[in-house]
Amino acid sequence: MAETRVYIRPVKASDRRELLALNLASRELHYPWISPPLTPHMFKVYFRRTQRDDHAGYAVCLRESHEIVGVINVNNMIKGALRSASVGYYAALAHAGKGYMREGLIGVKEHAFRELGLHRLEANIQPANKASIRLVRSCGFEHEGLSRDFLYIEGAWRDHERWAAINDRVGLT
């Protein structure tokens, strides 16, 4: 892969202040699609989840300044014969539309396939979230269908389109 303008790294506890500021400044971009941590307590709960074996959180950082421009989470990893997980993500409003999240998601996808040993990544997106659909499509995810009442968000069960990327390796190794 060609040199990118961003790199990914695991979210650290010391990212709390920067991520909370990013999330608070980006609420209009995130609503109603996702609810990232907005308080120190919410960050603590989120960070604890990223430390488990079945979740990972990655900061998408600018190479030049190391500023965090987004977060990509690999959630609910299942190993064994399934080797699958879902991805969720959010960007900084100040950097939206610049392609940074595309570069970051491609990096996380490659990392998930090579380093985490996953075979399948899913992105579940509300149908009206056209920007997110464009993002996953540009990263090689394919549309698989609609999951009715898939996630409970903002007080209601929401339909989601299911998009998937498949690792083409053969076997479980």
Side-chain angles (χ1 to χ4, degrees):
M1 183 172 157
E3 183 73 14
T4 63
R5 299 168 295 164
V6 302
Y7 63 93
I8 59 167
R9 63 159 174 79
V11 171
K12 302 179 288 192
S14 60
D15 293 328
R16 182 185 68 147
R17 181 174 289 140
E18 185 176 359
L19 282 179
L20 290 178
L22 178 156
N23 294 341
L24 287 166
S26 304
R27 284 181 289 193
E28 68 183 66
L29 180 64
H30 302 157
Y31 181 83
W33 317 119
I34 192 164
S35 299
L38 297 173
T39 67
H41 175 72
M42 290 171 74
F43 180 83
K44 183 178 180 180
V45 170
Y46 160 74
F47 184 72
R48 279 188 189 153
R49 191 176 77 232
T50 68
Q51 302 306 293
R52 297 183 350 207
D53 289 343
D54 61 343
H55 286 72
Y58 299 97
V60 179
C61 303
L62 293 178
R63 284 196 187 280
E64 281 188 12
S65 65
H66 307 290
E67 176 185 0
I68 298 173
V69 297
V71 170
I72 301 172
N73 295 306
V74 179
N75 303 306
N76 305 310
M77 285 185 264
I78 300 172
K79 299 295 179 108
L82 185 58
R83 295 190 184 245
S84 180
S86 63
V87 292
Y89 41 82
Y90 48 90
L93 179 61
H95 296 287
K98 297 179 180 174
Y100 297 141
M101 291 301 287
R102 180 183 185 280
E103 293 176 23
L105 185 54
I106 288 170
V108 168
K109 184 176 89 167
E110 291 175 358
H111 176 77
F113 290 161
R114 284 193 203 132
E115 305 302 323
L116 300 178
L118 297 176
H119 171 69
R120 174 187 179 86
L121 283 179
E122 285 190 13
N124 296 287
I125 304 165
Q126 292 178 60
N129 190 346
K130 302 303 183 193
S132 190
I133 290 169
R134 281 191 305 274
L135 172 63
V136 296
R137 183 182 287 129
S138 76
C139 293
F141 286 68
E142 296 181 15
H143 185 251
E144 291 190 330
L146 181 74
S147 298
R148 291 187 55 242
D149 292 344
F150 185 71
L151 287 174
Y152 194 78
I153 299 173
E154 296 293 324
W157 289 101
R158 310 286 179 182
D159 294 347
H160 283 67
E161 289 187 14
R162 189 176 55 259
W163 291 78
I166 308 294
N167 185 348
D168 59 4
R169 79 164 174 253
V170 177
L172 295 176
T173 58

